Amino acid sequence: MSKHYNVYPIDGGVCAPNGFVADGVAAGLKKDNALDVAFICAKEGFSVHTLFTSNTFAAAPIVHFRQYVAGKQSNFILITTKNANAMTGKAGVQDICEILDALKKRFSWVTNPIMSSTGVIGVRLPKEQIIQAFEKFSFESSKDSHKRASDAIRTTDAFSKEIALEVELENGKCFRIGAMAKGAGMIAPSLATMLCFITTDAPIPAEHAQKLLQQYAKKNFDTISVDGDMSTNDSVFLLSSGKSEAYDEEAFGMALDTITHKLALDMVRDGEGASRVVAFEVKGARDEAQARCAAKALSNSLLVKTAIFGGDPNWGRIASTIGASGVEAREELLSISIGGVLVYDKGDIVFTPEVEAKAHKAMESAEFRIVCDLGIAQGAYVSYGCDLGHKYVEINSDYRS
Amino acid sequence: MSKHYNVYPIDGGVCAPNGFVADGVAAGLKKDNALDVAFICAKEGFSVHTLFTSNTFAAAPIVHFRQYVAGKQSNFILITTKNANAMTGKAGVQDICEILDALKKRFSWVTNPIMSSTGVIGVRLPKEQIIQAFEKFSFESSKDSHKRASDAIRTTDAFSKEIALEVELENGKCFRIGAMAKGAGMIAPSLATMLCFITTDAPIPAEHAQKLLQQYAKKNFDTISVDGDMSTNDSVFLLSSGKSEAYDEEAFGMALDTITHKLALDMVRDGEGASRVVAFEVKGARDEAQARCAAKALSNSLLVKTAIFGGDPNWGRIASTIGASGVEAREELLSISIGGVLVYDKGDIVFTPEVEAKAHKAMESAEFRIVCDLGIAQGAYVSYGCDLGHKYVEINSDYRS
């Protein structure tokens, strides 16, 4: 039987858990004095657990972390935008060492600092600008500092993404978990950088941390991005200060699931130029792997994405995409509904003008569901995607964007 | 040693080989009395060899062919546009039977006729309109009838695609091969229907036909479309009248290669809304499969396609896409050139403003090459793709397009 615990949404983002301070400052990396350098720190230290990109060309910050920090207690993450420090080779890692040495020199309590970056690929970091920004750092917690941090990590994100929860266990003790993320760009095929920083005061055992990250964070971010098709910089950090006495594996897993599901959906909502978010639910597949394969094919199909942009209930493109995905399927067992309207029913063409009008109307919602029941067995998967319209082309074709 | 033969481009398209007649008529399926029904016939018969879609939901014409015609001599192919007769179940196959029965009734010499269709999915064929079009059929060969046929099979194609060759063997004997194709729509991920009809008077042995289709036609059409990601209707027909005495396996293979390579490139050039054709050449890969995987990933990347649309020599997106494809690669061995301009050189960032300007200039060409040398081994593959711009979005998001 499931245990009882109470979950309360709270303010504070990554600063909500006990022990953490975060802020964002303007270093002149972005235009118009916008916030562009952020940090998260906990003077008494935190343990670090990570999920990194599977891209062969992992960026310098990831190479640096693996080489110098992995397995150690840290107390500082420095986050910079506009430049991904990717494809910069050994020089890129050396740049990080120099920046972090300057950080340790400026703030002597900093131990095993971590750097995380997002932005354009193949350009050396503007070291001096970043180092000069240290002068603006303040470690006094203030009401809005977490907002400035989540604002500073945005690139083409239209809005900042953060969340925090307090979880009360059966024994009355509480732990907190907070997070901020960035990741607009194309949702899938995703090469936009996804960065997610999760803080908690729960004393999570190392052996649980990695398992729960895989089980919940990876699962939720996978529903919105293609397997293996990750950017050079994608990173999820889970930082635990251990300042609370409360911990329960199930409760923590649930909280991590809630938080990463919310941030994943925020990323889809904020997909570059996206006007509609669609949940592609495939059920009745031979197994979950086949359901996933078909759901991913739908959320990645250009023809499906452009039809959604146009509000066109073009179920033929949906059927054809499922057929092309190679999963086991039969016309006479398949049914398709769009926004709750049945448009294809096990071999029967039920797409009358009335049905078409209803489905077209349902597609005017900002968020709706396309359900494909393969009618074979019990495999199910939901993938989240968005439409593709002119704004996406504009954002991504701007010369020197 | 390679044999000698002479190859001459000739006029006549599918009508060039001895024995074939083709034409296109207007049946009112398209607007404005445009040509929309075509046929290819050879009264004395032809043998039929095919390549069909791997889509699970193969359309009714393919189901009908497999059920009623495969393995038999035929003498007539009826081709209709605007309606794919896909996802129409048994009724769709029955519709074909009725249409072809009417055809045989009208023209008593017609034997084992074949039907091939392209267009919208999930709508029953307008049988009466098609049958009435038979009255307009004329089997007198005329200079332009092959052009009318290739025009009639267009859907969103901006131009018709045909070619014919005469091949003279060492013994002075000649055979002819002609073809017409349609396939605009998205090149890859390709769900647009690709139809290709190849006629020849060479007496090609059945055991060669299938092998050569796989070896050359499949290879060439694969370079422009994702594996397995085929539409419900994709079909290649090779029809042989055997009216010539000349045949040589190597010469015929070369001719088939030339013809299908040309038609495949025509399809990319005619990609919906495409303004630029790019050859993505990956070399130095561990093996051909890895080169193919990386080249396909490049030609399918939305970020790469939109950068090409914008004329942006964004080599970081190219590198990141290769990294995400999962093939063996190392920063310090990789080099990338765009339109002949080296933009990344084995770990060195050579992308100065001058190099950028040169690469940007090179991308203004209607056709150019992006070469990625992985520097690992000898695997190589070239994939052809096009840019993605506003016109693609317009064409594919039009409600009820």
Side-chain angles (χ1 to χ4, degrees):
Chain A
M1 212 187 81
S2 201
K3 294 169 205 163
H4 273 286
Y5 32 74
N6 295 313
V7 181
Y8 309 98
I10 54 174
D11 281 336
V14 289
C15 295
N18 211 335
F20 289 96
V21 174
D23 208 344
V25 303
L29 309 177
K30 289 181 187 165
K31 284 179 202 159
D32 302 327
N33 210 33
L35 303 176
D36 48 23
V37 171
F39 65 83
I40 303 172
C41 66
K43 284 197 179 176
E44 297 179 40
F46 47 66
S47 58
V48 189
H49 311 283
T50 58
L51 282 180
F52 286 137
T53 181
S54 57
N55 194 299
T56 308
F57 301 130
I62 295 172
V63 174
H64 174 273
F65 178 87
R66 287 178 171 147
Q67 203 166 343
Y68 296 102
V69 190
K72 295 178 188 157
Q73 186 92 352
S74 169
N75 62 8
F76 202 101
I77 295 199
L78 175 69
I79 310 155
T80 63
T81 45
K82 290 302 277 182
N83 183 320
N85 196 11
M87 299 300 291
T88 47
K90 282 176 188 162
V93 176
Q94 185 55 36
D95 288 344
I96 296 174
C97 289
E98 289 176 29
I99 289 167
L100 295 179
D101 282 346
L103 182 76
K104 285 188 281 188
K105 207 170 153 192
R106 179 70 186 76
F107 307 110
S108 58
W109 51 268
V110 169
T111 311
N112 298 322
I114 298 162
M115 188 162 182
S116 182
S117 299
T118 172
V120 72
I121 293 173
V123 180
R124 295 280 295 277
L125 283 177
K127 271 182 293 197
E128 287 312 312
Q129 262 180 302
I130 293 168
I131 290 169
Q132 277 159 28
F134 299 164
E135 297 309 316
K136 299 186 178 178
F137 286 1
S138 153
F139 305 104
E140 302 302 311
S141 222
S142 80
K143 205 171 128 291
D144 289 331
S145 62
H146 66 92
K147 287 187 188 161
R148 285 194 297 272
S150 66
D151 196 27
I153 66 172
R154 288 162 58 188
T155 48
T156 54
D157 302 60
F159 54 87
S160 63
K161 301 163 187 71
E162 52 173 2
I163 180 175
L165 301 174
E166 182 168 82
V167 181
E168 185 185 3
L169 302 181
E170 278 180 315
N171 59 11
K173 291 186 176 171
C174 294
F175 69 82
R176 290 176 163 198
I177 181 168
M180 65 180 188
K182 68 131 314 217
M186 209 30 210
I187 299 309
S190 157
L191 288 175
T193 293
M194 190 272 287
L195 296 181
C196 177
F197 305 91
I198 306 165
T199 55
T200 184
D201 47 21
I204 176 169
E207 65 271 24
H208 289 186
Q210 207 56 42
K211 188 181 75 177
L212 294 174
L213 274 179
Q214 285 285 337
Q215 194 170 344
Y216 297 108
K218 189 165 189 314
K219 178 198 76 174
N220 284 319
F221 292 121
D222 269 357
T223 60
I224 59 157
S225 78
V226 169
D227 234 8
D229 206 24
M230 300 175 93
S231 99
T232 49
N233 293 56
D234 289 345
S235 306
V236 178
F237 290 93
L238 170 59
L239 315 174
S240 163
S241 69
K243 287 281 186 185
S244 161
E245 289 175 3
Y247 175 72
D248 173 85
E249 185 180 350
E250 185 184 314
F252 190 82
M254 173 281 309
L256 192 61
D257 192 19
T258 304
I259 275 190
T260 51
H261 180 70
K262 191 264 185 196
L263 292 174
L265 281 193
D266 274 356
M267 285 183 205
V268 187
R269 288 188 188 101
D270 199 3
E272 277 169 359
S275 63
R276 293 188 173 110
V277 171
V278 181
F280 295 94
E281 178 177 352
V282 173
K283 59 186 188 182
R286 172 58 62 205
D287 52 32
E288 191 189 327
Q290 294 214 355
R292 184 175 188 286
C293 171
K296 286 288 185 186
L298 288 170
S299 60
N300 288 333
S301 160
L302 287 185
L303 289 172
V304 171
K305 288 166 83 79
T306 46
I308 292 168
F309 174 70
D312 180 0
N314 196 323
W315 67 268
R317 291 186 183 177
I318 296 171
S320 185
T321 302
I322 293 174
S325 76
V327 304
E328 184 181 342
R330 285 162 58 191
E331 281 181 48
E332 66 276 21
L333 297 177
L334 173 71
S335 64
I336 301 172
S337 73
I338 299 176
V341 182
L342 188 70
V343 291
Y344 183 75
D345 188 18
K346 299 176 185 162
D348 288 335
I349 297 173
V350 295
F351 199 60
T352 60
E354 294 71 37
V355 167
E356 181 178 341
K358 275 175 72 177
H360 175 57
K361 180 106 186 118
M363 293 177 81
E364 287 173 356
S365 304
E367 307 201 358
F368 62 91
R369 216 167 180 82
I370 291 178
V371 181
C372 303
D373 190 340
L374 304 186
I376 305 276
Q378 304 303 317
Y381 193 87
V382 182
S383 178
Y384 297 89
C386 56
D387 56 349
L388 188 154
H390 292 291
K391 212 169 158 194
Y392 175 79
V393 174
E394 262 160 48
I395 293 171
N396 284 294
S397 64
D398 261 6
Y399 180 49
R400 292 288 79 192
S401 63
Chain B
M1 211 189 80
S2 200
K3 295 169 206 164
H4 272 286
Y5 32 75
N6 295 314
V7 181
Y8 308 97
I10 53 173
D11 282 334
V14 289
C15 295
N18 210 338
F20 290 96
V21 174
D23 209 346
V25 303
L29 310 176
K30 289 181 186 165
K31 284 179 203 159
D32 303 326
N33 210 33
L35 303 176
D36 47 23
V37 171
F39 65 84
I40 303 172
C41 66
K43 283 196 181 176
E44 296 179 40
F46 48 66
S47 58
V48 189
H49 311 283
T50 58
L51 282 180
F52 287 137
T53 181
S54 57
N55 195 300
T56 308
F57 301 130
I62 295 172
V63 175
H64 174 273
F65 177 88
R66 287 179 171 146
Q67 203 165 342
Y68 295 103
V69 190
K72 295 178 189 157
Q73 185 92 350
S74 169
N75 62 8
F76 202 101
I77 295 198
L78 175 69
I79 310 155
T80 64
T81 45
K82 291 300 277 182
N83 183 320
N85 196 10
M87 299 301 289
T88 46
K90 283 177 187 160
V93 177
Q94 187 53 39
D95 288 344
I96 295 174
C97 289
E98 290 176 30
I99 289 167
L100 295 180
D101 282 345
L103 182 75
K104 285 189 280 188
K105 206 169 153 191
R106 179 72 186 74
F107 307 108
S108 57
W109 52 269
V110 169
T111 312
N112 297 320
I114 297 163
M115 188 162 182
S116 181
S117 299
T118 172
V120 72
I121 293 172
V123 180
R124 295 279 294 277
L125 283 177
K127 270 182 294 198
E128 285 313 312
Q129 261 180 299
I130 293 168
I131 290 169
Q132 276 159 28
F134 299 163
E135 297 308 317
K136 300 188 179 177
F137 286 1
S138 153
F139 304 104
E140 303 301 312
S141 222
S142 80
K143 204 171 129 290
D144 289 331
S145 63
H146 67 93
K147 286 186 189 160
R148 284 194 296 272
S150 67
D151 196 28
I153 65 172
R154 288 163 57 186
T155 48
T156 55
D157 302 59
F159 55 87
S160 62
K161 301 163 187 69
E162 54 174 1
I163 181 175
L165 301 176
E166 184 168 81
V167 181
E168 185 186 3
L169 303 181
E170 278 179 315
N171 60 11
K173 291 187 176 174
C174 294
F175 69 82
R176 290 175 162 200
I177 180 168
M180 64 180 187
K182 69 133 310 218
M186 207 33 208
I187 298 308
S190 157
L191 287 173
T193 293
M194 189 271 287
L195 296 181
C196 178
F197 304 92
I198 306 165
T199 54
T200 184
D201 46 21
I204 177 170
E207 64 273 23
H208 289 186
Q210 206 57 41
K211 188 181 75 175
L212 295 175
L213 273 180
Q214 286 286 336
Q215 194 171 343
Y216 297 109
K218 189 165 190 308
K219 177 198 77 173
N220 283 320
F221 292 122
D222 269 358
T223 61
I224 59 156
S225 78
V226 169
D227 233 10
D229 207 23
M230 299 176 93
S231 100
T232 49
N233 293 57
D234 288 345
S235 305
V236 177
F237 289 92
L238 170 59
L239 315 175
S240 162
S241 68
K243 286 281 183 186
S244 160
E245 289 175 4
Y247 176 72
D248 172 85
E249 185 179 352
E250 187 185 313
F252 190 82
M254 173 280 309
L256 191 60
D257 193 18
T258 304
I259 276 191
T260 51
H261 180 70
K262 192 265 187 192
L263 293 173
L265 281 194
D266 274 356
M267 286 184 203
V268 187
R269 289 189 187 102
D270 199 5
E272 278 168 359
S275 63
R276 294 188 172 112
V277 171
V278 181
F280 295 94
E281 177 177 352
V282 173
K283 58 186 190 182
R286 173 58 62 206
D287 52 33
E288 190 189 329
Q290 294 213 358
R292 183 175 189 286
C293 172
K296 286 290 187 185
L298 287 169
S299 59
N300 288 333
S301 161
L302 286 185
L303 290 172
V304 171
K305 288 166 82 80
T306 46
I308 292 168
F309 174 70
D312 180 0
N314 197 323
W315 67 268
R317 290 186 184 176
I318 295 170
S320 186
T321 302
I322 292 173
S325 75
V327 304
E328 184 182 341
R330 285 162 60 191
E331 281 180 50
E332 66 275 21
L333 297 178
L334 173 70
S335 64
I336 300 172
S337 73
I338 299 175
V341 182
L342 187 70
V343 291
Y344 183 74
D345 188 18
K346 299 177 184 162
D348 287 335
I349 296 172
V350 294
F351 199 60
T352 60
E354 293 72 39
V355 168
E356 180 177 341
K358 274 176 72 177
H360 175 57
K361 180 102 187 122
M363 292 176 81
E364 287 173 356
S365 305
E367 309 202 355
F368 62 92
R369 213 164 181 84
I370 291 179
V371 180
C372 303
D373 189 340
L374 304 186
I376 305 277
Q378 304 304 320
Y381 193 87
V382 182
S383 177
Y384 296 89
C386 55
D387 56 348
L388 188 155
H390 291 291
K391 211 168 159 198
Y392 175 79
V393 174
E394 260 159 49
I395 293 171
N396 285 293
S397 64
D398 263 6
Y399 180 49
R400 291 290 79 194
S401 64

